[in-house]
Amino acid sequence: MTYVLWTRAHVYLAGIAACLAYTLGGPAAEEVGVRVRWARRGCDLVCAAVIVAIAFAGNGMNLSRPVALLAPSWVNSFLIVAAQGLFGIAVAWCAYRACSGQSQFLGGVLSFRMWVPLARLSYSAYLLQFLAISPIQQNWEVFRVGANVNLTVLGWMLFSMVSLASVFAVALVFHLLVEAPCLRLRKLVTPQVWQR
C-alpha cells in the first residue's frame, strides 16, 4: 500500500500548486494588509515546525523509530495517513515563500553559502546512504523495547548524527574520486565535441 498513487499524489500536487502560485505571482508585500502579512509569517513558522517534526518522527511506516515505540498507536496511524501530504504542503509553502521573495528570512536561510557543499554532496549521499548506514546499523543497538524513554531517544539521536556524518563522508569520497574527475573530463571533452 505504500507505493500506490494515493500515497504520493498529494505530495506532487502540493509541488505543482507551489509552482503555479509562483508562476502566477501574488500580491506584493506592500499590497497586503498587516494581518495578512502576520498570517503568512505564522504559516511560515507552522510549516517549518511541521517539516522538522515529520523529519524527526517519520511517516509512520518505520516501526523502529521512537514515535512508533513510545507514542500511542493513533499517532503512528495519523503519520501513515497524513505525514506525506503535510510534509509536501509545508515544503511547497516554504519553497513558494522563499522563491517569490516574500520571506526574506527563509530565503536567506536557504541561500546561505554553507549549504552549497552539502547541496553538491546531497545526491551522492542519497544514492550511497546504504553503504554507510548498513554497517553502523548492524553494530548499533538503537532501540530496545522497554528501555528508558530518554535513553531510547538519545540513542536514536546519536545514531542519526553518526549515520548522517558517515553518509556525507562516503559521499565526499565518492565525489572526490569519481564525480569531480568526471565533471572535469566533461569540461574538456564537451568543447571538442561541439567543434566537430
Side-chain angles (χ1 to χ4, degrees), residues 16-182:
I16 290 169
C19 291
L20 286 173
Y22 178 71
T23 303
L24 296 174
E30 54 274 354
E31 294 177 15
V32 296
V34 175
R35 288 183 183 173
V36 174
R37 274 185 273 163
W38 279 104
R40 288 179 179 174
R41 289 177 185 157
C43 286
D44 291 346
L45 291 174
V46 168
C47 287
V50 165
I51 290 170
V52 170
I54 292 177
F56 178 76
N59 65 358
M61 300 288 184
N62 187 349
L63 299 179
S64 64
R65 294 186 81 121
V67 172
L69 295 174
L70 305 172
S73 61
W74 67 267
V75 172
N76 209 40
S77 300
F78 172 77
L79 287 173
I80 290 172
V81 172
Q84 292 177 350
L86 290 175
F87 191 78
I89 290 168
V91 169
W93 174 263
C94 290
Y96 167 71
R97 294 277 289 161
C99 293
S100 65
Q102 295 181 13
S103 177
Q104 284 80 23
F105 174 75
L106 191 56
V109 168
L110 293 177
S111 63
F112 186 52
R113 287 181 178 232
M114 293 301 292
W115 295 127
V116 174
L118 292 176
R120 288 191 178 141
L121 294 176
S122 63
Y123 189 65
S124 296
Y126 165 70
L127 293 175
L128 302 170
Q129 63 182 316
F130 297 109
L131 291 176
I133 293 176
S134 295
I136 295 170
Q137 193 170 18
Q138 290 173 359
N139 299 310
W140 191 298
E141 188 177 345
V142 183
F143 303 112
R144 286 177 291 155
V145 177
N148 184 350
V149 173
N150 294 331
L151 291 177
T152 303
V153 172
L154 178 64
W156 183 84
M157 290 170 64
L158 289 173
F159 174 76
S160 299
M161 287 186 278
V162 169
S163 297
L164 191 63
S166 302
V167 164
F168 276 96
V170 168
L172 178 63
V173 170
F174 177 79
H175 177 75
L176 294 175
L177 296 178
V178 178
E179 193 175 359
C182 288

Side-chain angles (χ1 to χ4, degrees), residues 178-194:
V178 178
E179 193 175 359
C182 288
L183 289 172
R184 284 194 295 272
L185 181 64
R186 185 183 77 173
K187 285 182 181 179
L188 290 173
V189 172
T190 303
Q192 295 172 1
V193 170
W194 286 110

